[in-house]
Amino acid sequence: MDTLSYKTISANKATAQKDWVVIDAENQVLGRLASQAAKIIRGKNKANFTPNVDCGDNVIIINAEKIKLTGKKLTDKVYTRHTGYPGGQRFRTPREMLSKNPAFILEHAIKGMLPKNRLGSRLFTNLYVYAGDKHPHTSQQPKEVKLEY
């Protein structure tokens, strides 16, 4: 027998079936929503998942300002950044971040769940987070997704 009766099918850029998905973040827990969104962006929910190819869907998250954090994380969790100057370490709580840029908290959580390489950077461009319930991607006809944990 010179040929196999089965072949492992790997997705590539041309054969990847990329759809558009809308997730409503209202009253969702941050980490649980982020892990589900990262799984969809990566493509792990599809049968033809290939680890080294961008085969996931484009994810639109609306109502980012209505995300929930459990416990006292809204005031006790700290986001740290550095300006690059000596003594330039800056700290912000999620409450301050929600008032300034509500999308950042979700983007930061999801980015941390994606691969730390060129593929991860490419996958992150498939995420669109909006504070309100409106988004400019209606022409892509995205499907509404209900998340169950």
Side-chain angles (χ1 to χ4, degrees), residues 29-57:
V29 178
L30 174 64
R32 294 174 186 268
L33 172 74
S35 65
Q36 294 293 320
K39 197 180 294 183
I40 294 170
I41 291 170
R42 186 89 200 274
K44 286 193 160 195
N45 59 335
K46 294 186 173 188
N48 66 344
F49 169 68
T50 308
N52 62 329
V53 177
D54 176 10
C55 57
D57 295 333

Side-chain angles (χ1 to χ4, degrees), residues 5-93:
S5 60
Y6 56 89
K7 299 244 191 243
T8 301
I9 299 170
S10 295
N12 60 29
K13 197 172 187 176
T15 62
Q17 191 72 27
K18 296 178 71 67
D19 299 323
W20 286 77
V21 172
V22 171
I23 299 173
D24 189 2
E26 189 170 2
N27 295 324
Q28 299 281 344
V29 178
L30 174 64
R32 294 174 186 268
L33 172 74
S35 65
Q36 294 293 320
K39 197 180 294 183
I40 294 170
I41 291 170
R42 186 89 200 274
K44 286 193 160 195
N45 59 335
K46 294 186 173 188
N48 66 344
F49 169 68
T50 308
N52 62 329
V53 177
D54 176 10
C55 57
D57 295 333
N58 294 295
V59 175
I60 303 163
I61 299 179
I62 56 174
N63 292 321
E65 80 282 355
K66 297 177 183 170
I67 195 84
K68 286 194 328 190
L69 280 85
T70 58
K72 294 193 284 182
K73 290 189 200 98
L74 199 61
T75 55
D76 292 357
K77 182 179 172 72
V78 176
Y79 290 102
T80 307
R81 67 181 182 89
H82 201 284
T83 62
Y85 289 97
Q89 200 170 23
R90 303 289 185 255
F91 306 98
R92 282 220 172 117
T93 64

Side-chain angles (χ1 to χ4, degrees), residues 42 51-52 111 114-124:
R42 186 89 200 274
N52 62 329
K111 189 172 191 171
L114 294 175
K116 280 39 167 206
N117 53 25
R118 285 179 298 180
L119 177 64
S121 301
R122 173 68 189 95
L123 290 171
F124 188 65

Side-chain angles (χ1 to χ4, degrees), residues 98-148:
L98 278 172
S99 64
K100 284 216 175 270
N101 182 8
F104 173 80
I105 292 179
L106 263 168
E107 289 172 351
H108 185 267
I110 293 170
K111 189 172 191 171
M113 296 178 186
L114 294 175
K116 280 39 167 206
N117 53 25
R118 285 179 298 180
L119 177 64
S121 301
R122 173 68 189 95
L123 290 171
F124 188 65
T125 63
N126 295 337
L127 175 68
Y128 303 89
V129 183
Y130 299 102
D133 58 350
K134 301 261 189 278
H135 63 84
H137 306 285
T138 51
S139 59
Q140 277 77 26
Q141 298 165 345
K143 291 181 282 212
E144 184 87 25
V145 172
K146 300 282 184 212
L147 299 180
E148 293 124 22

